[in-house]
Amino acid sequence: MAEAEESPGDPGTASPRPLMRDLKAVGKKFMHVLYPRKSNTLLRDWDLWGPLILCVTLALMLQRDPADSEKDGGPHFAEVFVIVWFGAVTITLNSKLLGGNISFFQSLCVLGYCILPLTVAMLICRLVLLAGPGPVNFMVRLFVVIVMFAWSIVASTAFLADSQPPNRRALAVYPVFLFYFVISWMILTFTPQ
Amino acid sequence: MAAVDDLQFEEFGNAATSVAANPDATTVSIEDPGETPKHQTGTLRGSGREEDDELLGNDDSDKTELLAGQKKSSPFWTFEYYQTFFDVDTYQVFDRIKGSLLPIPGKNFVRLYIRSNPDLYGPFWICATLIFAIAISGNLSNFLIHLGEKTYHYVPEFQKVSIAATIIYAYAWLVPLALWGFLMWRNSKVMNIVSYSFLEIVCVYGYSLFIYIPTAILWIIPQKAVRWILVMIALGISGSVLAMTFWPAVREDNRRIALATIMTIVLLHMLLSVGCLAYFFDAPEMDHLPTTAAIPNQTVAAAKSS
């Protein structure tokens, strides 16, 4: 994970500083995802804290009231978790098997961080749904989800596309498209009781 | 013999002179070192495999067949072993998909497109896409069919995804396994010219499922007739790809067994598509018609009684 070297000296003062450093690193990567440019920060200093926070947030927001979740048919917490992590691992393996030169954890890091736009979309959708159901409500949510889906794809492709030889780039990018499409579908079909 | 000497891989200078000296000798020319394909075989390729003599294809296939002699196989616990199953370029995947959509009578899918380079990329991701296409289309179709009903509450039916995944992946792996075992067994009894390795069968089955992706999306249309026409079209296309692929492998056998094998292949394919249609897509409700037809009847009855 991120470098967290213990500073020498007083053990009492050592713990807050690596935590702040980690949080700053996570925040910096969030900014890189929101404004994707060709930069190596996500790749060089990978960490999995950000993806974990995002995945847990997304999975929690996709839950409904326990009282109504008897037969709701929505994804359970574990299912969202499994889809995100299993999907990210599968895409990473696929990319490496095709001959890409990205490391395993770097790829997981990028894919996890690029869920940020979709998590923001989930947040917006939940807020919009407070206004009550209806076709206008649905159109707004559809628009937000589509925009954030495109943002995720652009952000992750900006980081991942260079690691593949050009004759296989499409083969490596398509699973990323499918992955974010499924997550977008889960967000769009969220209906609270 | 001069021809044998020419095949020695010494310096490149020798190749040039030897071509000039003996134009009939087969030589391998590697033009672009950047794109030399690595063709390696794993230990899954059966030892009893024999090539058909006719090689359909163009320059690409010539280079592939000539380089076949250079294949090196890695042990199955290394990562490189599995990389050999993903040794395809984008255009090759598109070509294979195109081949599964346009079955040409007499052209064998394995011979024409796979050509000793079976890949697992196509089957795996086509199955994954198909799973989500079926689950999402089914959900969408049910939503549209029941739209407007007072008692209907939309649910995403997310658990159906895991069921779809189990069905599709089981079909894509177990049926080729059974077919491969059956063909190997028949091979031991009747000498067949053409035999396929397990991976090639998996590859054919995987690519033949591609037609079901647009079919599943079109199944959203809530008309029974349209859905059944789509089933027939998809079955016709992918069934014929499978039949034309496996007919050369069984035609030397007993006539009845050969026909029964082909029929079973097509039947299983049909079962898959009909089963998915029945399970994931609700029947288009017919009771919308009686309610709209009942109202004129009621008004007519009211008019008659008054």
Side-chain angles (χ1 to χ4, degrees):
Chain A
M1 297 274 192
E3 322 80 310
E5 63 255 27
E6 293 294 315
S7 58
D10 227 343
T13 59
S15 9
R17 258 189 279 162
L19 179 63
M20 281 315 298
R21 184 180 10 233
D22 282 351
L23 282 179
K24 279 206 185 123
V26 169
K28 197 163 142 200
K29 291 202 190 68
F30 279 169
M31 284 296 117
H32 275 278
V33 170
L34 288 180
Y35 303 108
R37 306 181 291 272
K38 286 257 172 357
S39 94
N40 282 334
T41 310
L42 242 83
L43 291 180
R44 217 180 30 231
D45 309 320
W46 60 266
D47 75 88
L48 293 180
W49 287 116
L52 186 65
I53 297 173
L54 288 172
C55 181
V56 168
T57 313
L58 188 63
L60 282 177
M61 283 202 281
L62 278 169
Q63 301 308 301
R64 300 132 210 262
D65 266 345
D68 303 319
S69 69
E70 292 303 318
K71 285 223 161 213
D72 61 352
H76 299 137
F77 183 90
E79 280 175 345
V80 177
F81 227 79
V82 161
I83 284 191
V84 169
W85 287 100
F86 192 65
V89 166
T90 309
I91 295 175
T92 306
L93 279 179
N94 177 69
S95 176
K96 289 188 75 68
L97 283 169
L98 283 171
N101 60 358
I102 194 172
S103 99
F104 184 77
F105 287 108
Q106 280 174 352
S107 174
L108 280 188
C109 170
V110 169
L111 289 167
Y113 269 103
C114 290
I115 295 183
L116 177 65
L118 286 170
T119 311
V120 170
M122 181 79 227
L123 200 60
I124 298 179
C125 282
R126 276 212 93 137
L127 293 174
V128 168
L129 277 170
L130 289 175
V136 172
N137 191 297
F138 176 73
M139 295 311 287
V140 168
R141 281 186 293 138
L142 181 66
F143 176 72
V144 166
V145 168
I146 288 180
V147 165
M148 293 303 180
F149 165 66
W151 202 333
S152 285
I153 300 257
V154 164
S156 60
T157 313
F159 295 113
L160 289 178
D162 285 338
S163 68
Q164 283 288 340
N167 52 340
R168 295 186 183 182
R169 208 157 275 173
L171 296 184
V173 168
Y174 170 71
V176 177
F177 171 86
L178 186 65
F179 176 63
Y180 289 127
F181 182 79
V182 170
I183 297 183
S184 309
W185 175 256
M186 285 199 291
I187 293 175
L188 190 60
T189 60
F190 173 76
T191 48
Q193 186 42 281
Chain B
M1 304 214 300
V4 174
D5 286 339
D6 287 340
L7 288 175
Q8 296 296 324
F9 289 100
E10 297 162 358
E11 306 90 318
F12 282 105
N14 276 354
T17 52
S18 65
V19 166
N22 190 355
D24 291 328
T26 47
T27 52
V28 177
S29 62
I30 303 177
E31 291 116 4
D32 193 0
E35 55 161 55
T36 316
K38 295 195 304 281
H39 285 275
Q40 303 157 338
T41 45
T43 50
L44 274 178
R45 295 193 53 185
S47 48
R49 188 166 190 275
E50 287 146 1
E51 296 284 323
D52 228 359
D53 274 16
E54 28 172 0
L55 286 174
L56 309 155
N58 45 23
D59 293 326
D60 196 82
S61 84
D62 289 347
K63 195 192 265 188
T64 315
E65 296 299 328
L66 284 171
L67 283 171
Q70 288 181 307
K71 293 181 196 182
K72 52 189 198 305
S73 59
S74 323
F76 68 89
W77 56 83
T78 58
F79 192 70
E80 284 72 29
Y81 175 71
Y82 298 101
Q83 266 186 321
T84 63
F85 306 140
F86 283 76
D87 194 17
V88 278
D89 292 339
T90 309
Y91 78 91
Q92 283 176 316
V93 173
F94 281 151
D95 271 347
R96 293 175 186 194
I97 292 179
K98 193 175 53 120
S100 78
L101 292 176
L102 305 167
I104 307 174
K107 295 278 169 71
N108 188 332
F109 183 80
V110 174
R111 280 284 152 262
L112 191 54
Y113 292 105
I114 298 191
R115 265 188 264 154
S116 14
N117 186 19
D119 71 299
L120 285 181
Y121 177 89
F124 182 79
W125 288 110
I126 290 177
C127 289
T129 311
L130 183 61
I131 289 166
F132 289 111
I134 288 184
I136 292 178
S137 300
N139 195 233
L140 207 51
S141 155
N142 292 350
F143 171 71
L144 290 174
I145 286 176
H146 296 287
L147 195 59
E149 281 175 22
K150 297 271 187 324
T151 55
Y152 178 70
H153 172 66
Y154 170 74
V155 288
E157 290 176 323
F158 204 74
Q159 278 66 37
K160 285 198 172 173
V161 172
S162 12
I163 299 175
T166 315
I167 296 175
I168 303 281
Y169 274 114
Y171 181 84
W173 281 94
L174 294 179
V175 173
L177 186 65
L179 187 59
W180 176 73
F182 175 76
L183 289 178
M184 286 292 122
W185 174 62
R186 293 311 299 174
N187 249 356
S188 66
K189 304 215 161 177
V190 175
M191 201 44 171
N192 277 321
I193 295 182
V194 172
S195 69
Y196 299 124
S197 73
F198 172 63
L199 278 176
E200 285 172 344
I201 301 183
V202 168
C203 213
V204 174
Y205 262 86
Y207 280 103
S208 73
L209 286 176
F210 180 82
I211 183 71
Y212 286 112
I213 296 175
T215 309
I217 297 176
L218 287 174
W219 273 341
I220 296 179
I221 301 173
Q223 295 293 329
K224 240 188 176 142
V226 170
R227 287 181 178 179
W228 280 101
I229 291 175
L230 286 169
V231 169
M232 290 296 132
I233 294 176
L235 186 66
I237 293 179
S238 61
S240 59
V241 168
L242 289 175
M244 283 194 286
T245 302
F246 289 107
W247 179 246
V250 292
R251 70 179 159 210
E252 272 89 32
D253 208 340
N254 184 348
R255 194 83 186 166
R256 277 199 218 154
I257 295 189
L259 282 176
T261 311
I262 302 290
M263 292 300 299
T264 313
I265 292 175
V266 175
L267 196 69
L268 283 174
H269 223 59
M270 189 178 75
L271 271 180
L272 178 76
S273 70
V274 170
C276 283
L277 177 62
Y279 182 70
F280 292 99
F281 294 80
D282 286 349
E285 293 290 299
M286 300 305 280
D287 55 14
H288 280 305
L289 293 177
T291 49
T292 52
I295 296 173
N297 281 346
Q298 285 168 2
T299 52
V300 167
K304 273 194 187 163
S305 61
S306 61

